[in-house]
Amino acid sequence: MKRYETLAAEVAAAIAAGLFAPGQRLPSIRQASRDRGVSPSTVFEAYSRLEAQGLVEVRPRSGWYVTAVAPPRPPEPERRSAPDGEARPVTTGELVFSLLASTMRRDVVPLGSAFPDPALFPHARLAGELARAGRRLGADPRAAGDDLTPGSLALRRQIALRYAAAGARVDPEAIVVTNGALEALNLCIAAICRPGDTVIVESPCFYACLQVLARHGLHALEVATDPRTGVDLEALEVAILRHRPAAAWVMTDFQNPLGASMDAAKKQALVALASRHRLPLIEDAVYADLHDGPRPVSTKAFDGEGWVLHCGSFSKTLAPGWRVGWCAPGRFAREVAQQKLAASLATNVPAQLGIAAWLEHGSFERHLRRLRATLAEWRERYRQRVQAHFPAGTRIGRPGGGYFLWIELPEQVDVMALQRAAMARGISLSPGPMFSASAGFTHHLRMNCGYRPDARVAEAIAVLGDLAAL
Amino acid sequence: MKRYETLAAEVAAAIAAGLFAPGQRLPSIRQASRDRGVSPSTVFEAYSRLEAQGLVEVRPRSGWYVTAVAPPRPPEPERRSAPDGEARPVTTGELVFSLLASTMRRDVVPLGSAFPDPALFPHARLAGELARAGRRLGADPRAAGDDLTPGSLALRRQIALRYAAAGARVDPEAIVVTNGALEALNLCIAAICRPGDTVIVESPCFYACLQVLARHGLHALEVATDPRTGVDLEALEVAILRHRPAAAWVMTDFQNPLGASMDAAKKQALVALASRHRLPLIEDAVYADLHDGPRPVSTKAFDGEGWVLHCGSFSKTLAPGWRVGWCAPGRFAREVAQQKLAASLATNVPAQLGIAAWLEHGSFERHLRRLRATLAEWRERYRQRVQAHFPAGTRIGRPGGGYFLWIELPEQVDVMALQRAAMARGISLSPGPMFSASAGFTHHLRMNCGYRPDARVAEAIAVLGDLAAL
């Protein structure tokens, strides 16, 4: 991505987020050039691009302004889910397995995919890090042993530094490196829960969460969740008191599939609630680095008592397919490390060393800045396209980061039928029932906006809109 | 390793295996040079080395002969273990966890380690494969998606070719690539067993097997096992009839810790027995490629009905620390793939592609030939050293491959006390009770012979012998 494209994407995201209101004047070219440390011609290119997109307009002898008449935004999905309060075993495995297989096919438009476009990542330069890591192992073969469970200390130090930037103090020695966040979450569940236990989940929740509960013989208890602000804390406390769950599994930043995020005050209240009830809080934080605005504070910042088992990953932010994630398990560090040892012994050592080196060089934040701006811009373009083509009454989420849109279609739409019709046209989507142990969300879907919104994507969204209107 | 060293190691292994008897004449230098395709001077160097080791002697104008007076070999461990026939939950977790942590310390002589010397592997050249794999992903980023669960088809094809060489037809599409064999074994257990089920294990068995059963809430039922030929099939059938186990977990090649191996006829009988009882047979085959003699036939060669879930790895043979293994789950292919998806999604893609490329080049067999010869020679040198320094009455196993020796000390030795005393002297060892759910094998230990038998190792074995004699 060129520099002016990055800048244009950032300004577009700021407009989308309402940081610049319609009719508001943008910073002058000279001022923006100074503020951003880029050349005036870069700013000019960026503003021209936004003008071509209709987002800004030039007023001669005055400057650049946000286009006054912005299209009205569709409403967001309903304020809060209302699950039935029953804990139940999970039976969505086959559905999810077959849907996932379809999203991986290259000939399918990946609106149902869980991954961002692999073209967004610096594979070739990362390959150089892998080679250097391998050569270092050649020079000092016994070093490989140093980086087995719980993982490379160099990498764990870098992860701890990232926690520090998010306001949390985490001891590198207490971090366990894992095969992606998904293994981390499995290890947390295995460390804490026994078969038959109940685990609190969001409603809707990430389908992999349900799969993990299923493979450990656990019951899922869905609690009311707000599409903007996440789990309802009152409903959570009622569920804790009624069901004595073994753990709660949450995503507090850009929740999958809703895009919901908690602010710092709510995170603090959530951690306080968990600590008060001595409830392990398993957090899937894989989208936390993909924020449009300022970096969110981590729940770990409030976790003095260590009840938060915080799981992250580089799969969505740097190195897809490398399967390097981690867990900061708080008071459960030893149990999680033991689970790791028995589950898969260790994580690929060259990949750990390669990522550690990349983080040490400081190239990660630069890469992330570009990635965030791109995803924010793409998400906005998907949103506009959905708004233009989906039936009246459609509601679209407005997440502050990540690359998913949660879409609520008119009630009469059967999203499972829509999924089959779309698949027949070569378009994947993730229907609402994937995200619920009680098969709810029958007229909802999650749309991936992490692939370049090219003509094929635009056409696919239009086709989906037509199919949904039938 | 230089060419003459390889040859010397191979001849030493042949002598150790009894293929050349004491007093027998070795092939002439000219003949060996022709047979092996090496220069006469290489053969001369190799024979001279063996002479220096006292293994062969020169008779002027006649040739090279195996030294006539070989030291008598100590007896092997007792013929068969005799477990009590009770199924029980596994509680060895803490013991194993703390013992393993000690074997990983660089300042400790790793006689208790489970790994071969990392210096035996071609790290730097493998690093080149990683870099090429990463660059290919850069050129075609969506390719990364092709290699997620169940894994890279290029790699699965290479694995299927290796099965073909071991006499078995395995469909590449039915292979699941995993984070090492340990993950594969976990996935098999998760696919087949429910908490509270009983799983048949060998006596003694690999401690990780016990850890895996523990984390899945399963009971272990130990069955009688012969130190040379593995699980007793009659005892196995009795156990099946009495306990209705959910699965049996076996190693038929160079079993860890015994070194026991089944011949083809016994493997065939084992698979027939499992098929007759519809019993899933989970096989850990990570040492199968480390044979001194001809390549063993795989149990998969007899598995027409698909009851064998065969798990392998490149961690012991090519790329330690890369964590690339696989499972050929027979009739359970779909269940194991679903477990993989929910457990860790996928395996590091550059590592899969790098190993596939290495196997395609054909460098793997060349590397394996050298590795096998080295390990056989080292194992023999460890054995001689143990024989010279351990107390009278010590029995030592004679495996036909791998890099472990199973050692039975005189009955009065408390191997847990020996382990603590050895650790205080900077020597790790793996005491017998690690390998048993019933804390048996109190005067047994497993010795790793996979590290170069240098002066430090020689001294450590002598110290161990002294400690055991106290």
Side-chain angles (χ1 to χ4, degrees), chain B residues 32-51:
Chain B
S33 152
R34 241 190 339 246
D35 290 354
R36 302 277 182 158
V38 297
S39 71
S41 69
T42 297
V43 180
F44 180 80
E45 290 279 351
Y47 284 7
S48 303
R49 178 170 211 189
L50 294 168
E51 189 188 6

PDB file of all heavy atoms in Angstrom, chain B residues 32-51:
ATOM      1  N   ALA B  32      34.595 -53.777  -0.585  1.00  0.00           N
ATOM      2  CA  ALA B  32      33.714 -52.842   0.109  1.00  0.00           C
ATOM      3  C   ALA B  32      33.609 -51.540  -0.675  1.00  0.00           C
ATOM      4  O   ALA B  32      32.530 -50.932  -0.764  1.00  0.00           O
ATOM      5  CB  ALA B  32      34.248 -52.579   1.512  1.00  0.00           C
ATOM      6  N   SER B  33      34.732 -51.110  -1.268  1.00  0.00           N
ATOM      7  CA  SER B  33      34.735 -49.882  -2.057  1.00  0.00           C
ATOM      8  C   SER B  33      33.761 -50.010  -3.226  1.00  0.00           C
ATOM      9  O   SER B  33      32.982 -49.098  -3.519  1.00  0.00           O
ATOM     10  CB  SER B  33      36.159 -49.598  -2.537  1.00  0.00           C
ATOM     11  OG  SER B  33      36.155 -48.876  -3.739  1.00  0.00           O
ATOM     12  N   ARG B  34      33.808 -51.183  -3.899  1.00  0.00           N
ATOM     13  CA  ARG B  34      32.891 -51.413  -5.022  1.00  0.00           C
ATOM     14  C   ARG B  34      31.439 -51.468  -4.533  1.00  0.00           C
ATOM     15  O   ARG B  34      30.553 -50.803  -5.059  1.00  0.00           O
ATOM     16  CB  ARG B  34      33.262 -52.724  -5.722  1.00  0.00           C
ATOM     17  CG  ARG B  34      33.661 -52.504  -7.175  1.00  0.00           C
ATOM     18  CD  ARG B  34      33.801 -53.808  -7.930  1.00  0.00           C
ATOM     19  NE  ARG B  34      34.017 -54.969  -7.087  1.00  0.00           N
ATOM     20  CZ  ARG B  34      35.150 -55.693  -7.086  1.00  0.00           C
ATOM     21  NH1 ARG B  34      36.147 -55.377  -7.882  1.00  0.00           N
ATOM     22  NH2 ARG B  34      35.254 -56.747  -6.313  1.00  0.00           N
ATOM     23  N   ASP B  35      31.201 -52.274  -3.489  1.00  0.00           N
ATOM     24  CA  ASP B  35      29.820 -52.468  -2.992  1.00  0.00           C
ATOM     25  C   ASP B  35      29.171 -51.155  -2.558  1.00  0.00           C
ATOM     26  O   ASP B  35      27.981 -50.930  -2.768  1.00  0.00           O
ATOM     27  CB  ASP B  35      29.810 -53.412  -1.774  1.00  0.00           C
ATOM     28  CG  ASP B  35      30.154 -54.835  -2.182  1.00  0.00           C
ATOM     29  OD1 ASP B  35      30.281 -55.088  -3.401  1.00  0.00           O
ATOM     30  OD2 ASP B  35      30.281 -55.685  -1.269  1.00  0.00           O
ATOM     31  N   ARG B  36      29.970 -50.327  -1.897  1.00  0.00           N
ATOM     32  CA  ARG B  36      29.395 -49.134  -1.292  1.00  0.00           C
ATOM     33  C   ARG B  36      29.459 -47.917  -2.193  1.00  0.00           C
ATOM     34  O   ARG B  36      28.910 -46.863  -1.858  1.00  0.00           O
ATOM     35  CB  ARG B  36      30.175 -48.775  -0.004  1.00  0.00           C
ATOM     36  CG  ARG B  36      30.182 -49.873   1.018  1.00  0.00           C
ATOM     37  CD  ARG B  36      28.902 -49.807   1.809  1.00  0.00           C
ATOM     38  NE  ARG B  36      28.888 -50.821   2.847  1.00  0.00           N
ATOM     39  CZ  ARG B  36      28.124 -50.740   3.921  1.00  0.00           C
ATOM     40  NH1 ARG B  36      27.324 -49.709   4.095  1.00  0.00           N
ATOM     41  NH2 ARG B  36      28.139 -51.702   4.807  1.00  0.00           N
ATOM     42  N   GLY B  37      30.247 -48.034  -3.278  1.00  0.00           N
ATOM     43  CA  GLY B  37      30.418 -46.861  -4.126  1.00  0.00           C
ATOM     44  C   GLY B  37      31.195 -45.752  -3.447  1.00  0.00           C
ATOM     45  O   GLY B  37      30.883 -44.576  -3.617  1.00  0.00           O
ATOM     46  N   VAL B  38      32.179 -46.131  -2.617  1.00  0.00           N
ATOM     47  CA  VAL B  38      33.050 -45.118  -2.002  1.00  0.00           C
ATOM     48  C   VAL B  38      34.489 -45.454  -2.391  1.00  0.00           C
ATOM     49  O   VAL B  38      34.769 -46.540  -2.906  1.00  0.00           O
ATOM     50  CB  VAL B  38      32.914 -45.094  -0.460  1.00  0.00           C
ATOM     51  CG1 VAL B  38      31.504 -44.710  -0.044  1.00  0.00           C
ATOM     52  CG2 VAL B  38      33.291 -46.448   0.142  1.00  0.00           C
ATOM     53  N   SER B  39      35.391 -44.511  -2.143  1.00  0.00           N
ATOM     54  CA  SER B  39      36.779 -44.745  -2.551  1.00  0.00           C
ATOM     55  C   SER B  39      37.432 -45.750  -1.604  1.00  0.00           C
ATOM     56  O   SER B  39      37.028 -45.886  -0.446  1.00  0.00           O
ATOM     57  CB  SER B  39      37.545 -43.432  -2.518  1.00  0.00           C
ATOM     58  OG  SER B  39      37.739 -43.058  -1.181  1.00  0.00           O
ATOM     59  N   PRO B  40      38.467 -46.462  -2.089  1.00  0.00           N
ATOM     60  CA  PRO B  40      39.193 -47.390  -1.203  1.00  0.00           C
ATOM     61  C   PRO B  40      39.730 -46.677   0.036  1.00  0.00           C
ATOM     62  O   PRO B  40      39.718 -47.249   1.129  1.00  0.00           O
ATOM     63  CB  PRO B  40      40.322 -47.920  -2.086  1.00  0.00           C
ATOM     64  CG  PRO B  40      39.816 -47.755  -3.488  1.00  0.00           C
ATOM     65  CD  PRO B  40      38.954 -46.530  -3.478  1.00  0.00           C
ATOM     66  N   SER B  41      40.150 -45.430  -0.114  1.00  0.00           N
ATOM     67  CA  SER B  41      40.737 -44.764   1.055  1.00  0.00           C
ATOM     68  C   SER B  41      39.649 -44.508   2.114  1.00  0.00           C
ATOM     69  O   SER B  41      39.932 -44.522   3.312  1.00  0.00           O
ATOM     70  CB  SER B  41      41.430 -43.473   0.644  1.00  0.00           C
ATOM     71  OG  SER B  41      40.481 -42.529   0.234  1.00  0.00           O
ATOM     72  N   THR B  42      38.403 -44.286   1.672  1.00  0.00           N
ATOM     73  CA  THR B  42      37.322 -44.120   2.644  1.00  0.00           C
ATOM     74  C   THR B  42      37.131 -45.406   3.454  1.00  0.00           C
ATOM     75  O   THR B  42      36.980 -45.378   4.690  1.00  0.00           O
ATOM     76  CB  THR B  42      36.012 -43.768   1.914  1.00  0.00           C
ATOM     77  OG1 THR B  42      36.184 -42.519   1.252  1.00  0.00           O
ATOM     78  CG2 THR B  42      34.843 -43.654   2.887  1.00  0.00           C
ATOM     79  N   VAL B  43      37.169 -46.556   2.746  1.00  0.00           N
ATOM     80  CA  VAL B  43      37.017 -47.826   3.451  1.00  0.00           C
ATOM     81  C   VAL B  43      38.169 -48.016   4.434  1.00  0.00           C
ATOM     82  O   VAL B  43      37.964 -48.408   5.588  1.00  0.00           O
ATOM     83  CB  VAL B  43      36.963 -49.006   2.458  1.00  0.00           C
ATOM     84  CG1 VAL B  43      36.797 -50.319   3.209  1.00  0.00           C
ATOM     85  CG2 VAL B  43      35.833 -48.825   1.447  1.00  0.00           C
ATOM     86  N   PHE B  44      39.357 -47.659   3.967  1.00  0.00           N
ATOM     87  CA  PHE B  44      40.541 -47.824   4.824  1.00  0.00           C
ATOM     88  C   PHE B  44      40.403 -46.981   6.101  1.00  0.00           C
ATOM     89  O   PHE B  44      40.649 -47.456   7.204  1.00  0.00           O
ATOM     90  CB  PHE B  44      41.815 -47.437   4.051  1.00  0.00           C
ATOM     91  CG  PHE B  44      43.057 -47.591   4.878  1.00  0.00           C
ATOM     92  CD1 PHE B  44      43.645 -48.845   5.052  1.00  0.00           C
ATOM     93  CD2 PHE B  44      43.624 -46.501   5.523  1.00  0.00           C
ATOM     94  CE1 PHE B  44      44.781 -48.994   5.834  1.00  0.00           C
ATOM     95  CE2 PHE B  44      44.745 -46.643   6.315  1.00  0.00           C
ATOM     96  CZ  PHE B  44      45.329 -47.892   6.461  1.00  0.00           C
ATOM     97  N   GLU B  45      39.979 -45.732   5.904  1.00  0.00           N
ATOM     98  CA  GLU B  45      39.780 -44.850   7.068  1.00  0.00           C
ATOM     99  C   GLU B  45      38.746 -45.447   8.029  1.00  0.00           C
ATOM    100  O   GLU B  45      38.904 -45.417   9.240  1.00  0.00           O
ATOM    101  CB  GLU B  45      39.263 -43.465   6.614  1.00  0.00           C
ATOM    102  CG  GLU B  45      40.264 -42.621   5.867  1.00  0.00           C
ATOM    103  CD  GLU B  45      41.225 -41.922   6.820  1.00  0.00           C
ATOM    104  OE1 GLU B  45      41.002 -41.966   8.043  1.00  0.00           O
ATOM    105  OE2 GLU B  45      42.219 -41.348   6.328  1.00  0.00           O
ATOM    106  N   ALA B  46      37.688 -45.984   7.467  1.00  0.00           N
ATOM    107  CA  ALA B  46      36.615 -46.540   8.302  1.00  0.00           C
ATOM    108  C   ALA B  46      37.124 -47.736   9.096  1.00  0.00           C
ATOM    109  O   ALA B  46      36.920 -47.830  10.310  1.00  0.00           O
ATOM    110  CB  ALA B  46      35.431 -46.944   7.417  1.00  0.00           C
ATOM    111  N   TYR B  47      37.822 -48.640   8.405  1.00  0.00           N
ATOM    112  CA  TYR B  47      38.339 -49.837   9.093  1.00  0.00           C
ATOM    113  C   TYR B  47      39.354 -49.439  10.167  1.00  0.00           C
ATOM    114  O   TYR B  47      39.391 -50.018  11.258  1.00  0.00           O
ATOM    115  CB  TYR B  47      38.965 -50.802   8.089  1.00  0.00           C
ATOM    116  CG  TYR B  47      37.942 -51.598   7.264  1.00  0.00           C
ATOM    117  CD1 TYR B  47      36.574 -51.328   7.332  1.00  0.00           C
ATOM    118  CD2 TYR B  47      38.367 -52.638   6.427  1.00  0.00           C
ATOM    119  CE1 TYR B  47      35.667 -52.054   6.582  1.00  0.00           C
ATOM    120  CE2 TYR B  47      37.456 -53.382   5.670  1.00  0.00           C
ATOM    121  CZ  TYR B  47      36.097 -53.073   5.752  1.00  0.00           C
ATOM    122  OH  TYR B  47      35.197 -53.789   5.020  1.00  0.00           O
ATOM    123  N   SER B  48      40.183 -48.440   9.843  1.00  0.00           N
ATOM    124  CA  SER B  48      41.173 -48.009  10.828  1.00  0.00           C
ATOM    125  C   SER B  48      40.488 -47.477  12.078  1.00  0.00           C
ATOM    126  O   SER B  48      40.948 -47.694  13.200  1.00  0.00           O
ATOM    127  CB  SER B  48      42.067 -46.922  10.225  1.00  0.00           C
ATOM    128  OG  SER B  48      42.680 -47.403   9.058  1.00  0.00           O
ATOM    129  N   ARG B  49      39.415 -46.784  11.868  1.00  0.00           N
ATOM    130  CA  ARG B  49      38.676 -46.240  13.000  1.00  0.00           C
ATOM    131  C   ARG B  49      38.128 -47.366  13.881  1.00  0.00           C
ATOM    132  O   ARG B  49      38.192 -47.312  15.109  1.00  0.00           O
ATOM    133  CB  ARG B  49      37.519 -45.414  12.447  1.00  0.00           C
ATOM    134  CG  ARG B  49      36.675 -44.869  13.542  1.00  0.00           C
ATOM    135  CD  ARG B  49      35.687 -43.876  13.050  1.00  0.00           C
ATOM    136  NE  ARG B  49      35.522 -42.971  14.173  1.00  0.00           N
ATOM    137  CZ  ARG B  49      34.627 -42.030  14.281  1.00  0.00           C
ATOM    138  NH1 ARG B  49      33.825 -41.793  13.305  1.00  0.00           N
ATOM    139  NH2 ARG B  49      34.530 -41.295  15.356  1.00  0.00           N
ATOM    140  N   LEU B  50      37.580 -48.394  13.215  1.00  0.00           N
ATOM    141  CA  LEU B  50      37.035 -49.531  13.964  1.00  0.00           C
ATOM    142  C   LEU B  50      38.146 -50.251  14.716  1.00  0.00           C
ATOM    143  O   LEU B  50      37.941 -50.743  15.834  1.00  0.00           O
ATOM    144  CB  LEU B  50      36.325 -50.492  13.009  1.00  0.00           C
ATOM    145  CG  LEU B  50      35.066 -49.908  12.356  1.00  0.00           C
ATOM    146  CD1 LEU B  50      34.602 -50.803  11.209  1.00  0.00           C
ATOM    147  CD2 LEU B  50      33.957 -49.734  13.384  1.00  0.00           C
ATOM    148  N   GLU B  51      39.329 -50.269  14.074  1.00  0.00           N
ATOM    149  CA  GLU B  51      40.468 -50.897  14.741  1.00  0.00           C
ATOM    150  C   GLU B  51      40.815 -50.119  16.008  1.00  0.00           C
ATOM    151  O   GLU B  51      41.041 -50.709  17.073  1.00  0.00           O
ATOM    152  CB  GLU B  51      41.670 -50.928  13.779  1.00  0.00           C
ATOM    153  CG  GLU B  51      42.830 -51.762  14.307  1.00  0.00           C
ATOM    154  CD  GLU B  51      44.081 -51.621  13.438  1.00  0.00           C
ATOM    155  OE1 GLU B  51      44.066 -50.791  12.503  1.00  0.00           O
ATOM    156  OE2 GLU B  51      45.072 -52.324  13.705  1.00  0.00           O
TER     157      GLU B  51
END
